Amino acid sequence: MPTNLIVDTVFAVDALLTEDELGWKRKARAFADERIVPTIESDFENEYFRRELVAELGAAGFLGMHLTGYGCAGASAVAYGAVCLELEAADSGWRTFVSVQGSLAMSAISKHGSDEQKSTWLPKMATGEAIGCFGLTEPGGGSDPAAMTTTAGPDGDDWVLNGTKRWIGLASVADVAIIWARDPEGTVRGFVVPTATTGFRATPIEGKLSMRSSIQCDVTLDNVRLPASAVLPHARGLSAPFSCLNEARYGIVWGAMGAARTCLEAAVERSRTREVFGAPIGSRQLVQAKLADMFVEYEKGMLLALHLGRLKERGALTPAQISVGKLNNVREALSIAHTARSILAGDGITSEFPVMRHMANLESVRTYEGTDEIHQLVLGRALTGIAAF
Ligand code: TGC
C-alpha cells in the first residue's frame, strides 16, 4: 500500500483543504522528504542542528507564514497547520524550529511590537537570515509563568534585565530573543533582545534523549542593558506571552498528527511484510485491531486539527479549544507511537525505523507549551468555573 493512502482514506481530510492549502502541504511534504528525512536519523543520533536548513525553510516561505506583511506569506491557519503536520512527520525538532521562529518570536513582535521592531526583525526572520527565540520559562516554574522572577529595571532611558530562563529553544543560535520580565510594578513586559547584547548568555542543555536534532538552552541575563526602544509597546501582563503560546499550541495540534502518521505508516507497512508463524502479522486479528485503533485516533486528530483551524480563521478559536487539541492530539500521537513500536517488535527500538525517535520527541511535545495536566486543568476550569491549578 502506498504510504500516503492512509491519509487519503475514510475522512479524506485532504479533500477538505483548498487548493492553496494543498499547495503548502505538498511543498512542506517535499521539503521534509528531500531535506530532513535523508539525514534526520544521524542528526538525531549526533545531536546535530542542521543550520543550513533555516534559510531553506525561509525560502520556502514557512517562517511566520501565517503572519501578514513584512515579507510574511499571510497564509491561512489551516495552511500553516498542514505545514506543521508535514514537517513533524519528518521530525518534531524541525516543526519546533518553525514554531519557535514563527509562532513565538515573530508572533510576539507582530502582535505586540512597534513598527520599528517589526520592520527591523520580521523580514529577516521570515527569510531565516535572523533566528529568534522566546524566553518565558524559568527554572523555578515551567507550568507557572506567573512565578517569573526575571526583572526589568528602568535606568534612565534604558532597561536593565536580570534573571535566568530554561528550556529556551534555539537560544544559542538565535540572533534575537523575546524576553519576558517583570517591571518594578510587577507587570510582565516583553523585550526584543539582540543576543549579542553584553550579559546575554545561552548554554545548550546537554543529555537530552528527545528533540536531539534541535537545541534547547539555559539563558542567563546578567545586567543586560537595552534602549527604551527594545520594549514591546503593546505587551503588558502575562496574557501577552500567552497569546503567543496559543499560536504555538495550535501548530502542535497539527504537528503531532504528522509524527503519528509516520508511526502509523511504519506499522502498516510492517504488518504487510513481516511474517511470523507462517503468515504476515497483518493477517492476525490482534494486529489489525491495533492498526484500526491507531487509525481511528489519527483520523479523529486530523478532523480536530482541521476544525480548530477553521475556527481560528474565523477568529473564533478559544484557549480552551486549543487545550482540547493539544491535549488530545499529542496524547494520541504518543499512544500511536507506542502501539506502532509494539507491532515492530524488537526492530522498533532501532533507528532503522523512525518510531522510537518520534516517541522520544513526543515526550517533549507532551511537556512543552503546557503539559497534559495543565491542559486538563484549563478544561476543568472551563467546565466547572473553578481554577484548580
Ligand atoms: P493567570 O496567571 O491568572 O493569567 C494571566 C493572564 O493571562 C491570561 N491568559 C491567557 N491569555 C491568552 N491565552 C491564554 N491561553 C491564556 N491563559 C491565561 C489570563 O486571562 C490573564 O489575563 P489578565 O488580563 O486577567 O491578566 O493565568 P491563568 O490562571 O489563566 O493560567 C494558568 C495556567 C496554568 C493555565 C497558565 O499559567 C499556563 O498555561 N501555564 C502553562 C505555561 C506553559 O505552557 N509553559 C510552557 C512554555 S513553552 C515555551 O515557553 C517555549 S517552548 C518552545 C521552545 O522554546 O523550544
Side-chain angles (χ1 to χ4, degrees), residues 304-348:
L304 176 56
L306 181 62
H307 178 59
L308 297 190
R310 295 296 181 222
L311 286 174
K312 192 171 192 312
E313 285 163 5
R314 298 208 314 259
L317 184 62
T318 67
Q321 289 165 334
I322 298 172
S323 285
V324 172
K326 203 273 183 181
L327 172 64
N328 182 79
N329 282 15
V330 182
R331 188 164 63 184
E332 294 306 330
L334 199 44
S335 171
I336 287 169
H338 284 143
T339 309
R341 209 291 306 152
S342 78
I343 290 172
L344 291 162
D347 291 340

Short mmCIF file of all heavy atoms in Angstrom, two decimals, residues 304-348:
data_model
loop_
_atom_site.label_atom_id
_atom_site.label_comp_id
_atom_site.label_asym_id
_atom_site.label_seq_id
_atom_site.Cartn_x
_atom_site.Cartn_y
_atom_site.Cartn_z
N LEU A 304 -10.04 17.04 14.18
CA LEU A 304 -9.99 18.03 15.26
C LEU A 304 -9.09 19.21 14.86
O LEU A 304 -9.45 20.38 15.03
CB LEU A 304 -9.50 17.37 16.55
CG LEU A 304 -9.29 18.25 17.77
CD1 LEU A 304 -10.56 19.00 18.14
CD2 LEU A 304 -8.83 17.39 18.95
N ALA A 305 -7.91 18.87 14.31
CA ALA A 305 -6.99 19.93 13.89
C ALA A 305 -7.64 20.82 12.84
O ALA A 305 -7.56 22.06 12.90
CB ALA A 305 -5.70 19.31 13.34
N LEU A 306 -8.31 20.19 11.88
CA LEU A 306 -8.95 20.97 10.82
C LEU A 306 -10.06 21.85 11.39
O LEU A 306 -10.18 23.03 11.03
CB LEU A 306 -9.50 20.02 9.75
CG LEU A 306 -10.17 20.70 8.56
CD1 LEU A 306 -9.18 21.58 7.80
CD2 LEU A 306 -10.78 19.65 7.62
N HIS A 307 -10.84 21.31 12.29
CA HIS A 307 -11.93 22.08 12.90
C HIS A 307 -11.36 23.30 13.65
O HIS A 307 -11.86 24.42 13.50
CB HIS A 307 -12.73 21.19 13.84
CG HIS A 307 -13.84 21.90 14.55
ND1 HIS A 307 -14.88 22.52 13.88
CD2 HIS A 307 -14.09 22.12 15.88
CE1 HIS A 307 -15.70 23.09 14.75
NE2 HIS A 307 -15.23 22.86 15.97
N LEU A 308 -10.31 23.07 14.43
CA LEU A 308 -9.71 24.20 15.17
C LEU A 308 -9.14 25.22 14.19
O LEU A 308 -9.23 26.43 14.41
CB LEU A 308 -8.63 23.70 16.12
CG LEU A 308 -9.07 22.75 17.25
CD1 LEU A 308 -7.93 22.56 18.25
CD2 LEU A 308 -10.31 23.24 17.97
N GLY A 309 -8.56 24.73 13.09
CA GLY A 309 -8.02 25.66 12.09
C GLY A 309 -9.09 26.54 11.47
O GLY A 309 -8.90 27.75 11.31
N ARG A 310 -10.22 25.92 11.16
CA ARG A 310 -11.31 26.73 10.57
C ARG A 310 -11.86 27.73 11.60
O ARG A 310 -12.18 28.86 11.26
CB ARG A 310 -12.44 25.81 10.07
CG ARG A 310 -12.02 24.91 8.90
CD ARG A 310 -11.66 25.70 7.65
NE ARG A 310 -11.27 24.81 6.55
CZ ARG A 310 -10.25 25.03 5.72
NH1 ARG A 310 -9.47 26.09 5.87
NH2 ARG A 310 -9.99 24.21 4.74
N LEU A 311 -11.94 27.32 12.86
CA LEU A 311 -12.35 28.27 13.91
C LEU A 311 -11.36 29.42 14.00
O LEU A 311 -11.73 30.59 14.12
CB LEU A 311 -12.44 27.57 15.28
CG LEU A 311 -13.62 26.63 15.51
CD1 LEU A 311 -13.46 25.91 16.85
CD2 LEU A 311 -14.94 27.40 15.50
N LYS A 312 -10.07 29.08 13.92
CA LYS A 312 -9.02 30.11 14.03
C LYS A 312 -9.15 31.11 12.88
O LYS A 312 -9.01 32.33 13.08
CB LYS A 312 -7.64 29.45 14.02
CG LYS A 312 -6.49 30.36 14.42
CD LYS A 312 -5.22 29.56 14.58
CE LYS A 312 -4.10 30.34 15.26
NZ LYS A 312 -3.84 31.67 14.79
N GLU A 313 -9.43 30.61 11.71
CA GLU A 313 -9.57 31.52 10.55
C GLU A 313 -10.74 32.48 10.72
O GLU A 313 -10.72 33.57 10.19
CB GLU A 313 -9.73 30.69 9.27
CG GLU A 313 -8.41 30.07 8.83
CD GLU A 313 -8.54 28.94 7.85
OE1 GLU A 313 -9.66 28.66 7.39
OE2 GLU A 313 -7.52 28.31 7.55
N ARG A 314 -11.75 32.05 11.49
CA ARG A 314 -12.90 32.94 11.74
C ARG A 314 -12.67 33.81 12.96
O ARG A 314 -13.57 34.54 13.38
CB ARG A 314 -14.16 32.09 11.97
CG ARG A 314 -14.56 31.23 10.79
CD ARG A 314 -16.07 30.97 10.76
NE ARG A 314 -16.62 30.59 12.06
CZ ARG A 314 -16.91 29.33 12.42
NH1 ARG A 314 -16.69 28.35 11.58
NH2 ARG A 314 -17.43 29.07 13.60
N GLY A 315 -11.51 33.69 13.58
CA GLY A 315 -11.22 34.47 14.79
C GLY A 315 -12.02 33.97 15.98
O GLY A 315 -12.23 34.71 16.95
N ALA A 316 -12.45 32.71 15.93
CA ALA A 316 -13.35 32.20 16.97
C ALA A 316 -12.71 31.14 17.85
O ALA A 316 -13.40 30.51 18.65
CB ALA A 316 -14.61 31.64 16.31
N LEU A 317 -11.41 30.91 17.69
CA LEU A 317 -10.75 29.82 18.44
C LEU A 317 -10.42 30.29 19.85
O LEU A 317 -9.74 31.31 20.03
CB LEU A 317 -9.48 29.39 17.70
CG LEU A 317 -8.72 28.20 18.28
CD1 LEU A 317 -9.59 26.94 18.27
CD2 LEU A 317 -7.44 27.96 17.48
N THR A 318 -10.85 29.54 20.87
CA THR A 318 -10.60 29.94 22.26
C THR A 318 -9.43 29.14 22.83
O THR A 318 -9.13 28.03 22.35
CB THR A 318 -11.84 29.66 23.14
OG1 THR A 318 -12.03 28.23 23.23
CG2 THR A 318 -13.09 30.31 22.58
N PRO A 319 -8.78 29.66 23.88
CA PRO A 319 -7.70 28.90 24.53
C PRO A 319 -8.16 27.52 25.00
O PRO A 319 -7.41 26.54 24.89
CB PRO A 319 -7.30 29.79 25.70
CG PRO A 319 -7.59 31.18 25.21
CD PRO A 319 -8.85 31.05 24.41
N ALA A 320 -9.38 27.40 25.49
CA ALA A 320 -9.84 26.08 25.96
C ALA A 320 -9.93 25.11 24.78
O ALA A 320 -9.60 23.92 24.92
CB ALA A 320 -11.19 26.21 26.66
N GLN A 321 -10.37 25.59 23.63
CA GLN A 321 -10.43 24.70 22.46
C GLN A 321 -9.03 24.27 22.04
O GLN A 321 -8.82 23.11 21.65
CB GLN A 321 -11.15 25.41 21.31
CG GLN A 321 -12.65 25.58 21.56
CD GLN A 321 -13.30 26.57 20.62
OE1 GLN A 321 -12.66 27.47 20.10
NE2 GLN A 321 -14.60 26.41 20.40
N ILE A 322 -8.09 25.18 22.13
CA ILE A 322 -6.70 24.81 21.80
C ILE A 322 -6.21 23.74 22.79
O ILE A 322 -5.51 22.80 22.42
CB ILE A 322 -5.78 26.05 21.83
CG1 ILE A 322 -6.21 27.06 20.78
CG2 ILE A 322 -4.33 25.64 21.60
CD1 ILE A 322 -5.48 28.40 20.86
N SER A 323 -6.61 23.88 24.05
CA SER A 323 -6.21 22.87 25.04
C SER A 323 -6.77 21.50 24.69
O SER A 323 -6.09 20.48 24.88
CB SER A 323 -6.68 23.29 26.45
OG SER A 323 -5.86 24.32 26.95
N VAL A 324 -8.01 21.45 24.19
CA VAL A 324 -8.58 20.15 23.76
C VAL A 324 -7.67 19.55 22.69
O VAL A 324 -7.31 18.37 22.74
CB VAL A 324 -10.01 20.34 23.20
CG1 VAL A 324 -10.50 19.02 22.57
CG2 VAL A 324 -10.96 20.79 24.28
N GLY A 325 -7.28 20.38 21.71
CA GLY A 325 -6.48 19.87 20.60
C GLY A 325 -5.08 19.46 21.01
O GLY A 325 -4.59 18.39 20.64
N LYS A 326 -4.44 20.28 21.84
CA LYS A 326 -3.06 19.97 22.24
C LYS A 326 -3.06 18.72 23.11
O LYS A 326 -2.25 17.81 22.92
CB LYS A 326 -2.46 21.19 22.97
CG LYS A 326 -0.93 21.26 22.94
CD LYS A 326 -0.26 20.51 24.06
CE LYS A 326 1.25 20.65 24.06
NZ LYS A 326 1.91 19.90 25.13
N LEU A 327 -3.97 18.68 24.09
CA LEU A 327 -4.03 17.52 24.98
C LEU A 327 -4.32 16.25 24.20
O LEU A 327 -3.60 15.25 24.31
CB LEU A 327 -5.13 17.76 26.03
CG LEU A 327 -5.46 16.58 26.94
CD1 LEU A 327 -4.27 16.21 27.82
CD2 LEU A 327 -6.67 16.93 27.83
N ASN A 328 -5.36 16.27 23.40
CA ASN A 328 -5.77 15.05 22.71
C ASN A 328 -4.75 14.61 21.66
O ASN A 328 -4.35 13.44 21.63
CB ASN A 328 -7.12 15.25 22.01
CG ASN A 328 -7.57 13.98 21.32
OD1 ASN A 328 -8.08 13.06 21.96
ND2 ASN A 328 -7.37 13.88 20.01
N ASN A 329 -4.33 15.53 20.82
CA ASN A 329 -3.53 15.08 19.68
C ASN A 329 -2.13 14.63 20.08
O ASN A 329 -1.60 13.69 19.50
CB ASN A 329 -3.50 16.17 18.60
CG ASN A 329 -4.81 16.19 17.81
OD1 ASN A 329 -5.79 15.60 18.24
ND2 ASN A 329 -4.82 16.86 16.67
N VAL A 330 -1.53 15.28 21.06
CA VAL A 330 -0.20 14.82 21.47
C VAL A 330 -0.34 13.50 22.23
O VAL A 330 0.43 12.55 22.02
CB VAL A 330 0.54 15.87 22.32
CG1 VAL A 330 1.93 15.36 22.68
CG2 VAL A 330 0.65 17.18 21.56
N ARG A 331 -1.33 13.41 23.11
CA ARG A 331 -1.53 12.17 23.88
C ARG A 331 -1.79 11.00 22.92
O ARG A 331 -1.20 9.93 23.08
CB ARG A 331 -2.72 12.37 24.82
CG ARG A 331 -2.93 11.26 25.81
CD ARG A 331 -3.85 11.68 26.96
NE ARG A 331 -5.19 12.03 26.52
CZ ARG A 331 -6.14 12.50 27.34
NH1 ARG A 331 -5.87 12.70 28.62
NH2 ARG A 331 -7.34 12.79 26.89
N GLU A 332 -2.62 11.22 21.91
CA GLU A 332 -2.94 10.12 20.99
C GLU A 332 -1.76 9.83 20.06
O GLU A 332 -1.54 8.68 19.69
CB GLU A 332 -4.20 10.45 20.19
CG GLU A 332 -5.46 10.52 21.04
CD GLU A 332 -5.69 9.28 21.90
OE1 GLU A 332 -5.29 8.17 21.50
OE2 GLU A 332 -6.27 9.42 23.00
N ALA A 333 -1.01 10.85 19.67
CA ALA A 333 0.18 10.60 18.84
C ALA A 333 1.17 9.73 19.59
O ALA A 333 1.77 8.80 19.02
CB ALA A 333 0.83 11.92 18.42
N LEU A 334 1.33 10.01 20.87
CA LEU A 334 2.27 9.21 21.67
C LEU A 334 1.75 7.78 21.80
O LEU A 334 2.52 6.80 21.69
CB LEU A 334 2.43 9.88 23.04
CG LEU A 334 3.64 9.52 23.89
CD1 LEU A 334 4.93 9.46 23.11
CD2 LEU A 334 3.76 10.54 25.02
N SER A 335 0.46 7.63 21.99
CA SER A 335 -0.12 6.30 22.09
C SER A 335 0.05 5.54 20.75
O SER A 335 0.37 4.34 20.74
CB SER A 335 -1.61 6.44 22.46
OG SER A 335 -2.24 5.20 22.37
N ILE A 336 -0.13 6.24 19.64
CA ILE A 336 0.06 5.62 18.32
C ILE A 336 1.52 5.18 18.17
O ILE A 336 1.82 4.08 17.69
CB ILE A 336 -0.37 6.59 17.21
CG1 ILE A 336 -1.90 6.70 17.19
CG2 ILE A 336 0.18 6.17 15.84
CD1 ILE A 336 -2.44 7.83 16.30
N ALA A 337 2.44 6.03 18.61
CA ALA A 337 3.87 5.67 18.53
C ALA A 337 4.17 4.43 19.37
O ALA A 337 4.89 3.53 18.94
CB ALA A 337 4.73 6.85 18.97
N HIS A 338 3.60 4.38 20.58
CA HIS A 338 3.82 3.21 21.45
C HIS A 338 3.30 1.95 20.78
O HIS A 338 3.97 0.90 20.77
CB HIS A 338 3.08 3.39 22.79
CG HIS A 338 3.75 4.33 23.74
ND1 HIS A 338 3.05 5.18 24.56
CD2 HIS A 338 5.05 4.55 24.01
CE1 HIS A 338 3.88 5.88 25.29
NE2 HIS A 338 5.11 5.54 24.98
N THR A 339 2.09 2.03 20.23
CA THR A 339 1.49 0.84 19.62
C THR A 339 2.26 0.43 18.37
O THR A 339 2.48 -0.77 18.12
CB THR A 339 0.01 1.10 19.29
OG1 THR A 339 -0.63 1.63 20.44
CG2 THR A 339 -0.69 -0.18 18.87
N ALA A 340 2.69 1.41 17.59
CA ALA A 340 3.50 1.10 16.40
C ALA A 340 4.78 0.37 16.81
O ALA A 340 5.19 -0.60 16.18
CB ALA A 340 3.83 2.38 15.64
N ARG A 341 5.37 0.82 17.87
CA ARG A 341 6.60 0.18 18.35
C ARG A 341 6.32 -1.28 18.71
O ARG A 341 7.11 -2.18 18.39
CB ARG A 341 7.14 0.95 19.57
CG ARG A 341 8.63 0.92 19.78
CD ARG A 341 9.18 -0.42 20.18
NE ARG A 341 8.51 -0.96 21.37
CZ ARG A 341 8.39 -2.26 21.63
NH1 ARG A 341 8.90 -3.17 20.83
NH2 ARG A 341 7.74 -2.67 22.71
N SER A 342 5.18 -1.54 19.30
CA SER A 342 4.86 -2.93 19.69
C SER A 342 4.66 -3.79 18.44
O SER A 342 5.03 -4.96 18.43
CB SER A 342 3.65 -2.99 20.61
OG SER A 342 2.44 -2.84 19.88
N ILE A 343 4.10 -3.25 17.39
CA ILE A 343 3.91 -4.01 16.14
C ILE A 343 5.27 -4.28 15.48
O ILE A 343 5.49 -5.34 14.89
CB ILE A 343 2.95 -3.26 15.21
CG1 ILE A 343 1.53 -3.30 15.80
CG2 ILE A 343 2.96 -3.83 13.78
CD1 ILE A 343 0.52 -2.44 15.07
N LEU A 344 6.17 -3.34 15.59
CA LEU A 344 7.52 -3.51 15.02
C LEU A 344 8.38 -4.44 15.88
O LEU A 344 9.48 -4.83 15.46
CB LEU A 344 8.21 -2.16 14.88
CG LEU A 344 7.60 -1.24 13.83
CD1 LEU A 344 8.03 0.20 14.05
CD2 LEU A 344 7.98 -1.69 12.44
N ALA A 345 7.90 -4.73 17.06
CA ALA A 345 8.60 -5.62 18.00
C ALA A 345 10.03 -5.13 18.24
O ALA A 345 10.26 -3.92 18.32
CB ALA A 345 8.55 -7.06 17.50
N GLY A 346 10.98 -6.04 18.31
CA GLY A 346 12.35 -5.65 18.67
C GLY A 346 12.94 -4.64 17.71
O GLY A 346 13.63 -3.68 18.12
N ASP A 347 12.64 -4.79 16.41
CA ASP A 347 13.19 -3.84 15.45
C ASP A 347 12.70 -2.41 15.70
O ASP A 347 13.33 -1.45 15.26
CB ASP A 347 12.82 -4.26 14.02
CG ASP A 347 13.55 -5.54 13.60
OD1 ASP A 347 14.58 -5.86 14.24
OD2 ASP A 347 13.08 -6.21 12.66
N GLY A 348 11.58 -2.32 16.38
CA GLY A 348 11.02 -1.00 16.65
C GLY A 348 11.87 -0.13 17.55
O GLY A 348 11.69 1.09 17.58
#
